Amino acid sequence: QVQLVESGGGLVQAGGSLRLSCAASGRTFSGYAMGWFRQAPGKEREFVGAISWRGTSTYYADSVKGRFTISRDNAKNTVYLQMNGLKPEDTAVYSCAAGLRPSVSILEYAYWGQGTQVTVSS
C-alpha cells in the first residue's frame, strides 16, 4: 500500500503560480512512477503530467506543456507539480497517483490521493 497526500492548493489570480506537493508513505515510493491528474466540475478526470520513478523522464498534457513542471525527491518521498502562468481553465481538483509506469491512463495507477483544490480567478 502507498498512501498519498496532496497539499499546496488554493486560490490564485490568473497568471499566478502554485506548487503542489504529494507526500507518500507506505511502500517504497522510489519504485513508482507518479502522475498528476485533475478534475473540473462536470468534467472527467484528465491527465496533467507524469514522471518516471527515477525522475529522468517527464510527460505533460499539451494544455499544460511549458507552464507546469513535475519533479520528485525520492529521499523525501515527495513529488511536486509547479504550476506557472495559471489560467481560469486550470481550476480543478488536482490528484497525484502512483503506478508502475508513467501513463496518461488512470487505469495504470494503483494508488491515489484525495486531491487538493486549485482555483484560478480571472
Side-chain angles (χ1 to χ4, degrees), residues 20 34-37 47-52 55 57-61 64 67-72 79-83:
L20 305 184
M34 298 297 296
W36 283 97
F37 290 77
F47 171 76
V48 174
I51 188 167
S52 61
S57 298
T58 54
Y59 310 85
Y60 298 97
V64 307
R67 299 188 297 125
F68 290 11
T69 303
I70 296 175
S71 61
R72 67 188 295 163
V79 63
Y80 305 96
L81 180 65
Q82 177 67 45
M83 306 185 293

Side-chain angles (χ1 to χ4, degrees), residues 10-103:
L11 173 64
V12 64
Q13 288 188 332
S17 299
L18 282 174
R19 188 177 81 155
L20 305 184
S21 299
C22 172
S25 60
R27 297 187 66 179
T28 306
F29 169 75
S30 61
Y32 288 93
M34 298 297 296
W36 283 97
F37 290 77
R38 66 186 182 186
Q39 187 167 21
K43 295 187 177 181
E44 293 187 353
R45 184 174 292 182
E46 66 172 357
F47 171 76
V48 174
I51 188 167
S52 61
W53 72 270
R54 282 196 181 97
T56 53
S57 298
T58 54
Y59 310 85
Y60 298 97
D62 288 343
S63 59
V64 307
K65 201 172 293 182
R67 299 188 297 125
F68 290 11
T69 303
I70 296 175
S71 61
R72 67 188 295 163
D73 186 338
N74 287 342
K76 294 183 178 180
N77 288 351
T78 302
V79 63
Y80 305 96
L81 180 65
Q82 177 67 45
M83 306 185 293
N84 299 328
L86 283 162
K87 305 174 181 180
E89 51 264 43
D90 294 319
T91 295
V93 174
Y94 284 71
S95 300
C96 62
L100 294 181
R101 63 186 65 83
S103 174

